[in-house]
Amino acid sequence: ARRGAGVPALTLATIPLDDAPTYATIARGDTLGVFQMGKSGLRRMLRKLKPDRFGDLSAAVALYRPGPLKSGMTEDYIERKHGRQVVEPIHPSVDAVLRETYSTICFQEQTMAVICTLSGCSLADADAVRKIMGKKKPELLAKERAKFMVGVARAGVCDAATAERAWGVVEASSMYSFNKSHSVAYAFLGYWTAYLKAHYPAEYMAALLTSVGDSKDKMAVYLNECRRMGIKVLPPDV
């Protein structure tokens, strides 16, 4: 509606993923009404995390869950991102997989990649190991650990001590890791809606108010957000 002559129509494909005002909006926790980022607890986490790249957003979706919050994984990611905690890489062969999350294992795909890279097994076998880790059955875990160590010795990627440490890290993280493909999809929607709120606040809030239908509770929350943002919501005028 605000498009002027010669200004191209806005499409999701043309929204840049490095937009500074969008990240500033998210880092302030100004995400009420933004997809998957509107909860008060997540907004507090975003203010601590201060995302400045898309990878932080996909990680945030994975880390704002009971498991990672209770285990300390969420806090580790935040502290490592801001240089207040030492990042301890597992092994150079898996640095590329874990670098984006500061050597925390946020995603199931990372668990699979570490197991696969160090032991030489297939991704399908690595996923089977990941599922067994999640069940926390000692007898099954012992068998899988033994198979992993045999695979490591055969692959020759790292020594036994590194493999032991890697297994411990992967096993501890496996209960809390999240599906990356799911997390990234949610992060895209969150980023896009944050972009719209940052650049087209009146239009976005109007659409948001329309979307809640007859929900008086949500209507009240978003009307209050409009007032906070300095947006006037006028009553019907016939």
Side-chain angles (χ1 to χ4, degrees):
R2 286 169 37 171
R3 186 158 51 98
V7 179
L10 178 70
T11 65
L12 296 179
T14 61
I15 292 178
L17 289 177
D18 59 352
D19 183 67
T22 300
Y23 285 108
T25 296
I26 295 170
R28 291 195 305 270
D30 187 10
T31 51
L32 187 64
V34 171
F35 182 78
Q36 287 292 309
M37 297 183 191
K39 294 180 180 178
S40 59
L42 181 51
R43 289 161 62 200
R44 284 194 298 272
M45 190 192 91
L46 291 172
R47 284 193 284 268
K48 292 176 67 177
L49 176 60
K50 300 190 184 309
D52 56 8
R53 62 191 181 97
F54 186 79
D56 287 335
L57 302 184
S58 58
V61 174
L63 291 168
Y64 189 72
R65 295 180 300 119
L69 288 167
K70 290 180 181 178
S71 73
M73 184 189 295
T74 304
E75 198 64 26
D76 285 347
Y77 184 99
I78 293 171
E79 292 300 297
R80 292 178 185 187
K81 173 178 172 59
H82 295 295
R84 296 188 291 262
Q85 185 183 109
V86 176
V87 177
E88 298 182 6
I90 293 177
H91 188 265
S93 64
V94 294
D95 275 357
V97 174
L98 300 181
R99 188 181 299 118
E100 67 169 331
T101 54
Y102 308 101
S103 286
T104 60
I105 299 180
C106 296
F107 306 117
Q108 293 172 359
E109 290 88 341
Q110 290 176 311
T111 298
M112 294 161 58
V114 171
I115 294 170
C116 180
T117 300
L118 297 183
S119 70
C121 71
S122 68
L123 282 171
D125 287 341
D127 193 34
V129 176
R130 178 193 64 78
K131 291 175 182 176
I132 290 170
M133 284 178 167
K135 293 176 182 177
K136 288 291 180 183
K137 293 186 177 181
E139 66 281 3
L140 293 177
L141 278 173
K143 290 180 181 178
E144 293 303 327
R145 179 188 164 283
K147 285 165 59 179
F148 173 75
M149 295 303 293
V150 169
V152 168
R154 187 186 301 117
V157 175
C158 67
D159 57 30
T162 300
E164 290 277 10
R165 177 171 169 266
W167 179 268
V169 172
V170 170
E171 183 182 345
S173 304
S174 61
M175 284 187 67
Y176 311 122
S177 59
F178 192 64
N179 187 287
K180 185 177 182 181
S181 57
H182 191 132
S183 191
V184 168
Y186 271 26
F188 265 112
L189 291 171
Y191 179 86
W192 286 334
T193 50
Y195 179 93
L196 294 175
K197 187 175 184 183
H199 291 276
Y200 304 91
E203 291 86 346
Y204 183 71
M205 294 307 295
L208 197 59
L209 285 165
T210 300
S211 73
V212 300
D214 295 329
S215 175
K216 293 181 180 179
D217 290 342
K218 289 183 178 180
M219 185 74 73
V221 169
Y222 295 145
L223 283 172
N224 188 60
E225 178 70 351
C226 287
R227 294 188 194 98
R228 187 194 68 78
M229 296 168 68
I231 298 171
K232 290 183 179 181
V233 180
L234 304 179
D237 184 355
V238 293

